[in-house]
Amino acid sequence: MKNIAFFFLLFPLFVFSQDDLLDELNEEIIEDKKVISVFKSLKVVNFETTKLVNKKDFYLVISHRFGSVKNGIDDLFGLDQAVTQFKFIYGINEWLNLGLARSSYKKKYGLHAKFRLKYQEKNNFPLSIVGYSLITANTALKDNVYPNINFENRLSYTTQLLISRKINDNLSLLLAPSFVHENLATRSFAEENGSTVFYDEENNQIALGFGGRYKLSKRISLNIDYGLHLNRNENSVYNNPLSIGADIETGGHVFQLHFTNAQAMFEEGFITQAQGDWLNGDFFFGFNLVRVF
Amino acid sequence: MGVRRSFRKLKTMKKNIFFLLLFFFTISFNFAQERFATKSGIINFEASVPSFEEVKATHNSVSAILKSNGDFASLALVRGFRFKVALMEEHFNESYVESSKYPKATFSGKIKDFNSSELSGVQKDYILLGTVSMHGKEKKIETTVNLKEIDNIIYLTTSFTLRPEDFNIEIPSIVSNKIAEEINISTYFELRTNF
């Protein structure tokens, strides 16, 4: 009995002994709960992700969408006909990005703002929420073809809410409710009884974007996105955009290779005017290459 | 009888007092150990290879405690390492150290033949032995630490090298020539009694 009592009295010696220094340090830490790397690229394939360029970082994104693969070797699966987009993006601060881009598809210029509203947090807020706003000017519309065209007619606006969740270390999902306003609505032409008729879309169009990334290995992920247009004209010649690709990380940058049925790269372009049709083997090879400065 | 009983009572009381004193002594013995600590220690790591892009990061909120018997422990949240290129930082967290799974890097060990009363404004070298733990793996290290004390602040600096493979951190072949095999770690702590 006495011995046990003696032992207990010495207890403080053991309790406060050396290795518990780490426990003490452990008690004081404040962990950063923000969930990072929900997506590693700014885009899933076509749709924007909830990733922003960091403060003061400067990105150059070069994207290509080649011609349709359906012509086979004749134009090397479309490689002869590339549509190119250059985009510069700058991180103004932690939550705001501004970007300027030019796409050879309809010679469009675009200006966008992307802003973070909410971070996904561990054991706390479940979603990342980012806003995206884009204005584009179509400079391919020629004055001699459209003599009455005003500058406003060239403009289109896209507003999106990008909502993502990192389900686990490998899987991240994205939902992107999108609103597109075209001052000059997308027009579909059709042949009817030997004459050409046309159908215009509404100026205001809405769509739901879906996207996901699944990591196949530490540095390669499978990416898919799809845009469900909710009020497309039933005679429209355009389809919903569906894209599948891979992100390949090579140290300093991320390489995105993909197949998509939309050649346009601006949001309002691929949401309203995806011209390819997967079911007819009519889709395009493309890539996005990101360089950080 | 009454006298004898009270004598016995006194004897047990004495014993209790003895134990009580022993108890307080052991406590005070522990608290007598002076402690120096910080929450803003610095760790730099450098894994650059000449003529390739710099692979370098700094952490400036590392916590550490040093006891006057030489026990030393330090803890850094891996997410706190800051790189010049944010994308590199993201790769580091997601693919290399996997900070969501292994958020902490720790060190726990002892400075050999340490005696805090010996310290002065002149730098003195000691041997530090201990275990670095990160990415779910542990590695024993031995290195030299530089110590000096000015105005009750102990300045502790040390540097050593670590190999990613010892911590099961895989460097993909595509970048293996751009990341050094041995990573130089240097640390700087200003340890204070009132922290």
Side-chain angles (χ1 to χ4, degrees), chain B residues 62-118:
Chain B
V62 182
S63 54
I65 302 185
L66 172 66
K67 287 209 307 193
S68 52
N69 66 354
D71 288 346
F72 178 72
S74 174
L75 184 149
L77 285 169
V78 181
R79 277 276 289 276
F81 280 102
R82 292 285 168 265
F83 290 70
K84 208 154 75 183
V85 178
L87 192 62
M88 201 186 276
E89 188 173 309
E90 210 181 327
H91 287 322
F92 170 78
N93 278 293
E94 195 197 16
S95 310
Y96 293 80
V97 291
E98 298 176 271
S99 59
S100 61
K101 253 188 259 171
Y102 310 104
K104 290 174 249 174
T106 63
F107 174 84
S108 164
K110 198 170 178 74
I111 299 173
K112 255 170 102 179
D113 307 319
F114 177 73
N115 181 353
S116 59
S117 59
E118 263 174 35

Side-chain angles (χ1 to χ4, degrees), chain A residues 40 213 218-219 247-251 253-254, chain B residues 91 94-95:
Chain A
K40 285 299 272 290
R213 124 175 141 139
K218 268 190 181 173
R219 284 161 194 91
D247 273 15
I248 301 166
E249 290 172 25
T250 59
H253 36 252
V254 181
Chain B
H91 287 322
E94 195 197 16
S95 310

Side-chain angles (χ1 to χ4, degrees), chain B residues 28-75:
Chain B
S28 56
F29 176 73
N30 277 281
F31 280 115
Q33 295 260 344
E34 229 181 329
R35 308 153 73 76
F36 298 86
T38 181
K39 284 179 185 170
S40 54
I42 295 167
I43 298 179
N44 287 303
F45 89 73
E46 166 93 59
S48 307
V49 172
S51 84
F52 281 108
E53 198 174 0
E54 190 178 67
V55 183
K56 195 171 134 182
T58 300
H59 196 312
N60 52 26
S61 45
V62 182
S63 54
I65 302 185
L66 172 66
K67 287 209 307 193
S68 52
N69 66 354
D71 288 346
F72 178 72
S74 174
L75 184 149

Side-chain angles (χ1 to χ4, degrees), chain A:
Chain A
M1 239 349 249
K2 249 188 246 165
N3 286 340
I4 290 172
F6 189 74
F7 178 79
F8 272 111
L9 292 171
L10 285 171
F11 201 61
L13 262 184
F14 303 111
V15 171
F16 291 96
S17 75
Q18 66 157 347
D19 241 293
D20 298 297
L21 282 181
L22 264 185
D23 289 345
E24 260 174 74
L25 293 175
N26 266 320
E27 279 164 22
E28 289 172 6
I29 56 173
I30 305 158
E31 225 179 304
D32 189 349
K33 290 198 153 133
K34 280 176 201 159
V35 173
I36 55 163
S37 302
V38 178
F39 289 94
K40 285 299 272 290
S41 296
L42 300 167
K43 285 185 172 284
V44 184
V45 173
N46 279 325
F47 280 91
E48 290 279 330
T49 65
T50 48
K51 180 186 165 72
L52 262 74
V53 167
N54 290 74
K55 185 180 176 180
K56 287 184 180 166
D57 271 2
F58 183 71
Y59 276 46
L60 168 61
V61 184
I62 299 167
S63 305
H64 276 64
R65 301 291 183 270
F66 296 96
S68 174
V69 299
K70 74 176 176 194
N71 297 323
I73 201 70
D74 186 45
D75 60 357
L76 196 60
F77 301 94
L79 257 62
D80 290 353
Q81 298 139 29
V83 172
T84 309
Q85 187 196 58
F86 288 90
K87 187 188 269 182
F88 300 96
I89 306 161
Y90 184 68
I92 306 283
N93 55 35
E94 299 297 338
W95 55 270
L96 178 65
N97 287 176
L98 289 182
L100 180 66
R102 205 276 186 183
S103 169
S104 64
Y105 183 81
K106 301 202 170 164
K107 300 183 192 296
K108 277 185 187 174
Y109 289 85
L111 192 64
H112 83 255
K114 190 173 179 180
F115 41 96
R116 182 175 302 284
L117 302 169
K118 208 78 183 138
Y119 267 109
Q120 181 182 341
E121 288 182 345
K122 203 169 152 186
N123 306 324
N124 197 358
F125 195 74
L127 303 168
S128 288
I129 304 177
V130 168
Y132 180 85
S133 227
L134 166 77
I135 175 166
T136 58
N138 179 340
T139 64
L141 300 165
K142 290 286 169 253
D143 288 337
N144 49 7
V145 183
Y146 304 91
N148 296 324
I149 197 163
N150 294 320
F151 180 67
E152 305 91 270
N153 301 129
R154 301 178 184 276
L155 301 180
S156 296
Y157 310 86
T158 308
T159 306
Q160 290 182 306
L161 206 55
L162 307 161
I163 303 163
S164 75
R165 174 160 172 80
K166 191 172 190 170
I167 309 286
N168 56 41
D169 276 350
N170 292 325
L171 180 67
S172 300
L173 297 177
L174 172 84
L175 180 70
S178 309
F179 173 76
V180 175
H181 177 88
E182 295 179 295
N183 281 347
L184 194 63
T186 297
R187 176 166 286 187
S188 297
F189 294 93
E191 290 285 330
E192 263 174 36
N193 308 321
S195 61
T196 304
V197 290
F198 56 80
Y199 301 97
D200 285 343
E201 301 296 335
E202 288 174 36
N203 291 102
N204 294 324
Q205 299 172 51
I206 45 172
L208 267 181
F210 300 91
R213 124 175 141 139
Y214 186 79
K215 281 179 79 179
L216 300 172
S217 75
K218 268 190 181 173
R219 284 161 194 91
I220 298 177
S221 72
L222 176 74
N223 293 9
I224 295 178
D225 66 16
Y226 178 72
L228 176 65
H229 199 300
L230 296 171
N231 59 339
R232 200 190 296 279
N233 179 338
E234 59 181 16
N235 295 300
S236 174
V237 295
Y238 297 108
N239 297 308
N240 285 336
L242 171 67
S243 317
I244 178 164
D247 273 15
I248 301 166
E249 290 172 25
T250 59
H253 36 252
V254 181
F255 224 144
Q256 298 189 294
L257 304 172
H258 37 253
F259 291 102
T260 172
N261 63 333
Q263 220 175 6
M265 284 164 272
F266 282 120
E267 276 63 24
E268 100 293 334
F270 64 77
I271 289 172
T272 64
Q273 299 171 5
Q275 66 275 59
D277 185 349
W278 279 91
L279 297 174
N280 291 336
D282 182 14
F283 50 89
F284 314 96
F285 172 64
F287 63 79
N288 303 333
L289 205 162
V290 181
R291 179 69 210 167
V292 187
F293 293 97

